[in-house]
Amino acid sequence: MKKLLNMALVGLLYLGLQSCSDSNSVFPEPDLSAVNDEIAVNRVYEDMDNYTLTVLESSGLGARIMASQNESICAGVDINVNRDTKKIIVDFGQGCTSSSGITRKGKVILDYTGNFLFPGASVTTTFDGYEVEGLKVEGRRKITNTGIELINSKVNLTVEVNNGKVTLPDNTFVSFNSEQVRQVSLGSQGYQIEITGTANGKGRAGANFNSSTISPLTVTQDCVDSGVLIPSSGVLGFVSGGAEVRIDYGTGACDKTVILTYPGGSKEITFD
């Protein structure tokens, strides 16, 4: 009887240990809503960076002087350059849609210190009723030229967002602050941007998040012009609610797909 009892206890102990082992090896999928929020915010700003460069260049304040390209931003946009006050107002009015299908409305206000070709020059962006694809944008964003390589046609920038806020049509919102370093390479086929940096904020569900680049994110003008507003390569590390997620943008394809990897699994997401 004693032998049978000992065997039973050993069996129960084995099952208990096996159960613990099984439960420790299963990781539920974390809440990825804050990840989606971060990506949505970045898409808004990549779109804005694209036409900001166009506005500066067509106004003679960028690294190249170009003919007016207002129509490439969207038909009917009004761009007012006041050189006395060093202010540019990009007015989308009640709404206009670009050739790549992006709808914007309201005003984007650019206060600049001088020709953006020169190191030390900066552009501070604020908003007046501005929306892109139904997302309302608020806050203050400052871009500073920290150095230029004329031979290689490269511009080094720091980018800071303070009190950033993006509100969705259902009145939920994402709040955030970020600091980035961007190297912009200018060429005959447009620009390419390499991005590193960090961000922190709060997602729509109320969860705090922070992120930092693991490998530089690459954004190209041809992708942005086609409506693809996420990087084409690079990896971003993301932490929210104790969950760590890697956001992999791929190796260069101009698409809207990312791979999210987290403890115990991964999934592919394609954005509209």
Side-chain angles (χ1 to χ4, degrees), residues 48 51-52 78 87-92 104-110 124-131 137:
M48 185 167 54
Y51 67 73
T52 296
D78 180 60
K87 185 186 296 288
I88 302 173
I89 298 177
V90 184
D91 189 351
F92 296 99
R104 312 178 186 96
K105 65 182 292 187
K107 298 177 182 179
V108 173
I109 302 163
L110 308 173
T124 299
T125 305
T126 51
F127 312 95
D128 181 4
Y130 177 63
E131 296 183 14
V137 184

Side-chain angles (χ1 to χ4, degrees), residues 16-31:
L17 291 173
Q18 185 67 28
S19 175
C20 290
S21 175
D22 290 344
S23 64
N24 288 336
S25 64
V26 176
F27 295 89
E29 180 179 294
D31 181 2

Side-chain angles (χ1 to χ4, degrees), residues 37-94:
D37 292 340
E38 161 100 351
I39 294 173
V41 165
N42 288 335
R43 293 169 74 189
V44 166
Y45 281 103
E46 292 311 328
D47 171 64
M48 185 167 54
D49 271 352
N50 184 43
Y51 67 73
T52 296
L53 286 173
T54 298
V55 168
L56 292 174
E57 289 167 355
S58 63
S59 303
L61 298 169
R64 297 172 294 174
I65 298 177
M66 304 171 63
S68 176
Q69 294 193 20
N70 295 4
E71 294 300 308
S72 70
I73 298 174
C74 70
V77 65
D78 180 60
I79 299 177
N80 182 276
V81 181
N82 189 323
R83 296 185 184 276
D84 292 331
T85 61
K86 295 183 178 179
K87 185 186 296 288
I88 302 173
I89 298 177
V90 184
D91 189 351
F92 296 99
Q94 295 303 306

Side-chain angles (χ1 to χ4, degrees), residues 62-63 116-119 145-157 184 186:
F116 208 58
L117 173 64
F118 300 108
N145 181 340
T146 57
I148 189 166
E149 303 172 30
L150 290 174
I151 295 177
N152 299 320
S153 296
K154 292 183 178 181
V155 183
N156 297 306
L157 310 173
V184 183
L186 302 169

